[in-house]
Amino acid sequence: MVRDDGASRMDPERERSLVARARSDGAAFGELYDYYLPRIHGFVARRVGDRATTEDLTAMTFERALGALRSGSFRNESFGGWLYRVAANAIVDHARRGRRLIPLEIRSSDLPDDEFGGRAAGRSEPGDDAAADAFAAALDRDQLRRALLGLPETHRRLLVLKFYDDLSSDELCAALGCSAATLAVKLHRALGALRGAISKEAIDAA
């Protein structure tokens, strides 16, 4: 299969072709499923921690995807990015139903603040700080960890999605419901805020 970075991205033209065919072709949806299943499963597993729940939420994500394709309601440029949004919504719905306390140390809610179920301004879903912590810990830098956790929630969420979950620009746009131009501005501001926070950490530590 052709991928646009030779490792983890599906070629956009290939993806669009499969999405168009998947409305009536089970084999086309099967190819999308086979490609994205490991990525979505990993995305959910890092936030849930429980194997059975991970499998249930992953299956629910693909069931919703198939329904959207078959009904013709899917209208997004990036199928992969849209899947992340569906998965994130499923995670938050699960947490809000209170069936199980999701361990904060291994999950986050990376939803946009919009009509698709994102949190209201100033509110934080369980796990955002922990996901940022995990991202920073992976880089093994205490200073970066403190700086990242001190960022506004919207900045932190974007950086976690990009650098921890490794979403492409198209996937980020779809997951966050914004244009490429808006994403560029958001990322510029988030990285600028992170640089400022790191500088402050360095000064405070001196």
Side-chain angles (χ1 to χ4, degrees), residues 151-166:
L151 293 180
E153 182 187 349
T154 53
H155 291 340
R156 185 169 65 248
R157 191 165 60 247
L158 172 56
L159 294 172
V160 168
L161 282 171
K162 179 171 178 59
F163 296 108
Y164 182 64
D165 289 305
D166 193 31

Side-chain angles (χ1 to χ4, degrees), residues 146-204:
R146 290 191 299 270
L148 191 63
L149 292 175
L151 293 180
E153 182 187 349
T154 53
H155 291 340
R156 185 169 65 248
R157 191 165 60 247
L158 172 56
L159 294 172
V160 168
L161 282 171
K162 179 171 178 59
F163 296 108
Y164 182 64
D165 289 305
D166 193 31
L167 269 65
S168 69
S169 294
D170 286 346
E171 289 170 337
L172 283 168
C173 287
L176 299 176
C178 65
S179 67
T182 299
L183 175 64
V185 172
K186 287 178 179 288
L187 185 57
H188 176 75
R189 290 175 178 171
L191 289 171
L194 181 60
R195 283 194 294 269
I198 290 173
S199 296
K200 183 178 184 301
E201 283 289 335
I203 292 172
D204 291 346

Side-chain angles (χ1 to χ4, degrees), residues 55-155:
E55 292 176 353
D56 286 346
L57 296 181
T58 300
M60 184 185 303
T61 296
F62 284 96
E63 287 171 6
R64 291 177 180 175
L66 180 59
L69 289 177
R70 293 286 168 83
S71 69
S73 62
F74 176 75
R75 294 286 188 275
N76 207 297
E77 181 67 17
S78 169
F79 181 73
W82 178 78
L83 278 177
Y84 282 110
R85 171 176 287 196
V86 173
N89 274 323
I91 291 167
V92 170
D93 287 346
H94 172 76
R96 287 174 177 167
R97 283 192 296 267
R99 288 193 221 158
R100 177 183 175 89
L101 178 62
I102 298 179
L104 298 185
E105 69 271 13
I106 52 176
R107 59 86 61 187
S108 75
S109 301
D110 294 314
L111 286 177
D113 300 325
D114 62 14
E115 69 274 20
F116 291 94
R119 62 184 69 86
R123 294 179 59 204
S124 178
E125 294 293 343
D128 279 332
D129 290 347
D133 194 20
F135 164 52
L139 300 178
D140 196 26
R141 288 176 142 182
D142 288 340
Q143 186 182 82
L144 176 59
R145 183 184 72 83
R146 290 191 299 270
L148 191 63
L149 292 175
L151 293 180
E153 182 187 349
T154 53
H155 291 340

Side-chain angles (χ1 to χ4, degrees), residues 2-17:
V2 179
R3 303 183 186 184
D4 63 12
D5 69 355
S8 63
R9 309 293 183 208
M10 179 179 284
D11 176 72
E13 290 299 324
R14 177 63 175 166
E15 181 180 277
R16 282 191 285 271
S17 174

